[in-house]
Amino acid sequence: MNSATSATDPTTQEKTMNAVVLERRHEIRIRPVPGPGRVGPDEVRIGVHTVGICGSDVHYYTHGRIGPYVVEDPMVLGHEASGTVLEVGADVTHLAVGDRVCMEPGIPDPRSRASRLGIYNVDPDVRFWATPPVHGCLRPEIVHPADFTYKLPDRLSLEEGALIEPFAVAVHAVTKARISPGDVVAVVGAGTIGVLTAIAATASGASRVYVSDVAPEKFAKLRAYPTIHPVDAGEQDLAEVVREATEGWGADVVFEASGNPRAFGSLWEAPAPGGAVVLVGIPVSPVSLDVAAAQARELRIETVFRYANAYPRAIELAASPAVDLGALISATYPFEEAVTAFERGAEARPTDTKIQIRVAGA
């Protein structure tokens, strides 16, 4: 038996707690919601410490939907989270009360065909935090499957732990790219995912990484990485810069991390013959792909949807001296100022990389 007493009075577990709730488009409130309930034998209760604001959270706030996912009922926001274990279920052996953890927000059906194949991220029945109709984690406590809860090494802060979720996207993308030591890489888009992908590519052996964006202010967080080279898309063409730097050959791997439909018009000009194009950003509307251009150079095309089996690698890499996730945090708001934090997120300031909300003590 590995059960433990919760740090919270068990008699209060069924009571309400405040949460950050998207009531409808353009309306967020902090208000009571039902508590997470009791802990099952394979679950843990976690006191949430920090939650990052993701672009998807902001998109639900500003647009009320992402593709087929529509906010029809009030929804608790947040899926990038870290915290401290308060209680463990009877069958949990790898975690203990007091452990600092981060949580993988997508829970698949373990019996699904996708899960058995190891691609549980594309399980049609996956339940992902803050994706309608599933509630997120912007609340003081959550109950979560222990198998999707990961202990943080001492070198990582809880704030950095909340960045593991978007970093897992980057690590998954770099893994699918199959980067080799010395590869030249190009990244389109210097938003949070683009920046993290550039960092992951550098840490995975890329000799040079060229990152383009129309807002050069976004490059500030990359100055600590001497092998990452910013390209101001308003002044320079990424493909031309890469070709000039590689004697006309091109990049071994190109990551599209902007999701901007305009980026696809010239996407095939940057990769080298036999290279790879990894689609990380998700366009909000259909885009055109020049298949003939890709075929003419036998480009390998990979697509990325969230991640699968990437959290352990992301944690190990984040804890290495090659990565500094903490430097990407632009601002941290207390729980009671969560609405202000989302309003800032909706502003999309080019100098912001990651905005977080401190939930602990809420």
Side-chain angles (χ1 to χ4, degrees):
M1 294 284 288
N2 192 38
S3 60
T5 302
S6 169
T8 302
D9 181 354
T11 62
T12 69
Q13 291 177 6
E14 303 304 324
K15 294 185 178 180
T16 61
M17 58 179 60
N18 280 340
V20 178
V21 181
L22 177 62
E23 303 286 1
R24 57 188 61 82
R25 183 183 177 191
H26 294 313
E27 183 183 343
I28 294 175
R29 287 200 300 149
I30 300 174
R31 65 165 174 86
V33 299
R38 300 188 181 278
V39 174
D42 299 310
E43 297 177 323
V44 290
R45 183 184 306 279
I46 300 161
V48 179
H49 184 276
T50 299
V51 177
I53 295 179
C54 175
S56 65
D57 295 316
V58 173
H59 204 79
Y60 283 126
Y61 171 47
T62 57
H63 291 76
R65 67 182 300 158
I66 297 177
Y69 301 104
V70 182
V71 179
E72 297 178 341
D73 298 299
M75 180 181 73
V76 178
L77 291 165
H79 65 263
E80 302 176 3
S82 67
T84 303
V85 175
L86 302 178
E87 179 184 359
V88 298
D91 296 335
V92 178
T93 59
H94 69 288
L95 295 169
V97 171
D99 282 348
R100 301 158 58 255
V101 295
C102 61
M103 297 77 82
E104 188 169 345
I107 309 304
D109 177 356
R111 297 165 296 182
S112 72
R113 185 169 183 174
S115 293
R116 294 197 304 271
L117 291 171
I119 51 174
Y120 60 83
N121 54 319
V122 293
D123 175 7
D125 295 322
V126 67
R127 293 179 56 81
F128 198 92
W129 278 344
T131 300
V134 182
H135 289 299
C137 60
L138 259 168
R139 42 186 163 173
E141 290 185 13
I142 53 98
V143 170
H144 199 60
D147 286 344
F148 291 86
T149 303
Y150 303 87
K151 186 175 180 179
L152 292 172
D154 292 341
R155 188 176 183 275
L156 290 180
S157 67
L158 283 163
E159 292 78 9
E160 291 169 316
L163 269 161
I164 293 298
E165 196 279 335
F167 194 46
V169 176
V171 169
H172 186 55
V174 167
T175 301
K176 294 200 76 172
R178 305 202 292 265
I179 289 177
S180 298
D183 275 354
V184 174
V185 169
V187 180
V188 181
T192 301
I193 296 300
V195 166
L196 288 170
T197 299
I199 292 171
T202 298
S204 299
S207 60
R208 285 173 287 164
V209 179
Y210 296 89
V211 184
S212 71
D213 202 281
V214 295
E217 299 94 334
K218 295 181 179 181
F219 300 137
K221 300 294 176 65
L222 294 171
R223 290 172 184 158
Y225 300 90
T227 58
I228 298 179
H229 307 280
V231 177
D232 183 348
E235 302 290 337
Q236 297 174 291
D237 180 77
L238 176 63
E240 290 181 4
V241 171
V242 171
R243 285 197 299 268
E244 183 177 346
T246 58
E247 299 180 342
W249 184 245
D252 299 291
V253 178
V254 175
F255 294 95
E256 203 305 298
S258 72
N260 190 324
R262 293 192 299 272
F264 288 80
S266 58
L267 188 61
W268 313 118
E269 298 174 12
V277 174
V278 184
L279 305 180
V280 188
I282 301 178
V284 295
S285 57
V287 299
S288 298
L289 296 179
D290 190 342
V291 176
Q295 288 176 315
R297 283 180 287 167
E298 287 205 346
L299 300 178
R300 175 169 55 89
I301 301 173
E302 297 280 359
T303 60
V304 170
F305 183 67
R306 297 172 180 158
Y307 37 72
N309 304 304
Y311 256 64
R313 291 195 303 275
I315 291 169
E316 287 291 336
L317 190 58
S320 74
V323 174
D324 182 7
L325 293 184
L328 303 182
I329 300 170
S330 302
T332 302
Y333 286 79
F335 185 78
E336 58 271 17
E337 295 180 20
V339 176
T340 302
F342 271 92
E343 289 172 347
R344 175 166 170 176
E347 291 177 21
R349 300 180 189 179
T351 52
D352 284 345
T353 301
K354 178 56 61 179
I355 297 170
Q356 294 185 331
I357 296 172
R358 179 74 53 78
V359 181

PDB file of all heavy atoms in Angstrom, residues 12 53 73 83 134 147 176 246-247 274 312 332 361:
ATOM      1  N   THR A  12     -13.298  18.139   3.144  1.00  0.00           N
ATOM      2  CA  THR A  12     -13.515  19.290   2.253  1.00  0.00           C
ATOM      3  C   THR A  12     -13.371  18.927   0.788  1.00  0.00           C
ATOM      4  O   THR A  12     -13.552  19.773  -0.074  1.00  0.00           O
ATOM      5  CB  THR A  12     -12.521  20.423   2.573  1.00  0.00           C
ATOM      6  OG1 THR A  12     -11.205  20.008   2.181  1.00  0.00           O
ATOM      7  CG2 THR A  12     -12.530  20.765   4.044  1.00  0.00           C
ATOM      8  N   ILE A  53      -0.144  30.321 -19.633  1.00  0.00           N
ATOM      9  CA  ILE A  53      -1.206  30.657 -20.584  1.00  0.00           C
ATOM     10  C   ILE A  53      -0.731  30.280 -21.975  1.00  0.00           C
ATOM     11  O   ILE A  53       0.289  30.762 -22.461  1.00  0.00           O
ATOM     12  CB  ILE A  53      -1.546  32.152 -20.522  1.00  0.00           C
ATOM     13  CG1 ILE A  53      -2.141  32.505 -19.160  1.00  0.00           C
ATOM     14  CG2 ILE A  53      -2.530  32.526 -21.632  1.00  0.00           C
ATOM     15  CD1 ILE A  53      -2.490  33.969 -19.000  1.00  0.00           C
ATOM     16  N   ASP A  73     -20.288  25.591 -23.129  1.00  0.00           N
ATOM     17  CA  ASP A  73     -20.605  25.715 -21.716  1.00  0.00           C
ATOM     18  C   ASP A  73     -19.388  26.296 -20.999  1.00  0.00           C
ATOM     19  O   ASP A  73     -18.258  26.225 -21.518  1.00  0.00           O
ATOM     20  CB  ASP A  73     -20.951  24.352 -21.117  1.00  0.00           C
ATOM     21  CG  ASP A  73     -22.176  23.727 -21.770  1.00  0.00           C
ATOM     22  OD1 ASP A  73     -23.253  24.337 -21.694  1.00  0.00           O
ATOM     23  OD2 ASP A  73     -22.032  22.648 -22.376  1.00  0.00           O
ATOM     24  N   GLY A  83       2.975  21.436  -9.934  1.00  0.00           N
ATOM     25  CA  GLY A  83       2.426  21.499  -8.593  1.00  0.00           C
ATOM     26  C   GLY A  83       3.120  20.543  -7.650  1.00  0.00           C
ATOM     27  O   GLY A  83       4.207  20.029  -7.938  1.00  0.00           O
ATOM     28  N   VAL A 134     -13.810  19.421 -21.821  1.00  0.00           N
ATOM     29  CA  VAL A 134     -12.994  19.014 -20.673  1.00  0.00           C
ATOM     30  C   VAL A 134     -12.479  20.247 -19.936  1.00  0.00           C
ATOM     31  O   VAL A 134     -11.926  21.169 -20.557  1.00  0.00           O
ATOM     32  CB  VAL A 134     -11.810  18.140 -21.129  1.00  0.00           C
ATOM     33  CG1 VAL A 134     -10.986  17.684 -19.921  1.00  0.00           C
ATOM     34  CG2 VAL A 134     -12.305  16.932 -21.917  1.00  0.00           C
ATOM     35  N   ASP A 147       0.137   7.958 -13.912  1.00  0.00           N
ATOM     36  CA  ASP A 147       0.968   7.622 -15.071  1.00  0.00           C
ATOM     37  C   ASP A 147       1.261   8.830 -15.946  1.00  0.00           C
ATOM     38  O   ASP A 147       2.180   8.779 -16.778  1.00  0.00           O
ATOM     39  CB  ASP A 147       0.279   6.548 -15.915  1.00  0.00           C
ATOM     40  CG  ASP A 147       0.330   5.168 -15.270  1.00  0.00           C
ATOM     41  OD1 ASP A 147       1.141   4.974 -14.350  1.00  0.00           O
ATOM     42  OD2 ASP A 147      -0.447   4.289 -15.695  1.00  0.00           O
ATOM     43  N   LYS A 176      10.714  13.816 -34.243  1.00  0.00           N
ATOM     44  CA  LYS A 176      10.177  13.399 -35.533  1.00  0.00           C
ATOM     45  C   LYS A 176      11.040  13.898 -36.698  1.00  0.00           C
ATOM     46  O   LYS A 176      11.078  13.278 -37.760  1.00  0.00           O
ATOM     47  CB  LYS A 176       8.738  13.900 -35.695  1.00  0.00           C
ATOM     48  CG  LYS A 176       7.751  13.280 -34.720  1.00  0.00           C
ATOM     49  CD  LYS A 176       6.319  13.401 -35.180  1.00  0.00           C
ATOM     50  CE  LYS A 176       6.004  12.418 -36.286  1.00  0.00           C
ATOM     51  NZ  LYS A 176       4.554  12.391 -36.615  1.00  0.00           N
ATOM     52  N   THR A 246      24.582  28.198 -46.688  1.00  0.00           N
ATOM     53  CA  THR A 246      24.891  26.782 -46.961  1.00  0.00           C
ATOM     54  C   THR A 246      25.365  26.561 -48.396  1.00  0.00           C
ATOM     55  O   THR A 246      25.242  25.462 -48.927  1.00  0.00           O
ATOM     56  CB  THR A 246      23.642  25.915 -46.696  1.00  0.00           C
ATOM     57  OG1 THR A 246      22.567  26.390 -47.520  1.00  0.00           O
ATOM     58  CG2 THR A 246      23.227  25.957 -45.236  1.00  0.00           C
ATOM     59  N   GLU A 247      25.914  27.592 -49.000  1.00  0.00           N
ATOM     60  CA  GLU A 247      26.426  27.515 -50.366  1.00  0.00           C
ATOM     61  C   GLU A 247      25.346  27.043 -51.343  1.00  0.00           C
ATOM     62  O   GLU A 247      25.604  26.246 -52.253  1.00  0.00           O
ATOM     63  CB  GLU A 247      27.649  26.606 -50.438  1.00  0.00           C
ATOM     64  CG  GLU A 247      28.814  27.107 -49.583  1.00  0.00           C
ATOM     65  CD  GLU A 247      30.030  26.198 -49.656  1.00  0.00           C
ATOM     66  OE1 GLU A 247      29.879  25.036 -50.076  1.00  0.00           O
ATOM     67  OE2 GLU A 247      31.131  26.666 -49.312  1.00  0.00           O
ATOM     68  N   GLY A 274      16.279  16.267 -50.261  1.00  0.00           N
ATOM     69  CA  GLY A 274      16.320  15.155 -49.325  1.00  0.00           C
ATOM     70  C   GLY A 274      16.103  15.568 -47.882  1.00  0.00           C
ATOM     71  O   GLY A 274      16.190  14.726 -46.982  1.00  0.00           O
ATOM     72  N   PRO A 312       9.203  12.580 -20.535  1.00  0.00           N
ATOM     73  CA  PRO A 312      10.476  12.247 -19.872  1.00  0.00           C
ATOM     74  C   PRO A 312      11.687  12.864 -20.563  1.00  0.00           C
ATOM     75  O   PRO A 312      12.594  13.386 -19.896  1.00  0.00           O
ATOM     76  CB  PRO A 312      10.512  10.715 -19.937  1.00  0.00           C
ATOM     77  CG  PRO A 312       9.066  10.314 -19.973  1.00  0.00           C
ATOM     78  CD  PRO A 312       8.401  11.365 -20.823  1.00  0.00           C
ATOM     79  N   THR A 332       4.631  36.825 -14.416  1.00  0.00           N
ATOM     80  CA  THR A 332       3.856  35.907 -13.585  1.00  0.00           C
ATOM     81  C   THR A 332       2.828  36.710 -12.798  1.00  0.00           C
ATOM     82  O   THR A 332       3.183  37.670 -12.109  1.00  0.00           O
ATOM     83  CB  THR A 332       4.765  35.135 -12.609  1.00  0.00           C
ATOM     84  OG1 THR A 332       5.756  34.413 -13.362  1.00  0.00           O
ATOM     85  CG2 THR A 332       3.957  34.144 -11.783  1.00  0.00           C
ATOM     86  N   GLY A 361      -1.635  28.817  -3.080  1.00  0.00           N
ATOM     87  CA  GLY A 361      -2.139  29.708  -2.062  1.00  0.00           C
ATOM     88  C   GLY A 361      -3.462  30.347  -2.406  1.00  0.00           C
ATOM     89  O   GLY A 361      -4.002  31.131  -1.624  1.00  0.00           O
TER      90      GLY A 361
END
